[in-house]
Amino acid sequence: MLFKVEMTVRLPATMPVAEAEALKTTEREVAQGLMRQGRWRHLWRVAGRYANVSIFDVDSVEQLHQLLSGLPLFPYMDIDVAPLCRHPSSIRDDDR
């Protein structure tokens, strides 16, 4: 199942810089691990914002929820999820 996930990160202004950097490093490691597993298919930065648009490929809505809520930055995120399905006019035979 494919989902478009929009994430906006809002770290507290009072968070110490070292703590924020450590959190971002851990987030990157977790995200790249999910990409290597094929669960986090695409990741695009939204220009001018601390936000991204991503495509996840998961077995269920529950699995998506577990992956997202397990992200280190999850407590600081606003997340919008939309399920995706193939468009009948697509020229592709797969989900590339």
Side-chain angles (χ1 to χ4, degrees), residues 8-90:
T8 300
V9 179
R10 300 183 196 288
L11 293 177
T14 58
M15 181 178 281
V17 173
E19 183 180 343
E21 291 306 314
L23 199 54
K24 292 176 195 178
T25 297
T26 304
E27 178 82 10
R28 182 180 311 112
E29 292 168 356
V30 170
Q32 289 176 348
L34 291 170
M35 287 181 226
R36 286 185 191 94
Q37 294 172 18
R39 296 292 178 206
W40 197 325
R41 285 276 200 92
H42 300 280
L43 172 61
W44 293 278
R45 180 181 304 262
V46 177
R49 295 178 38 210
Y50 191 2
N52 73 72
V53 175
S54 296
I55 304 296
F56 282 81
D57 187 357
V58 294
D59 297 327
S60 67
V61 176
E62 291 81 11
Q63 184 181 45
L64 177 64
H65 178 75
Q66 288 175 348
L67 293 179
L68 294 176
S69 63
L71 293 173
L73 288 173
F74 178 77
Y76 309 102
M77 289 182 181
D78 294 328
I79 299 175
D80 185 51
V81 176
L84 301 174
C85 62
R86 184 170 311 286
H87 194 284
S89 297
S90 177

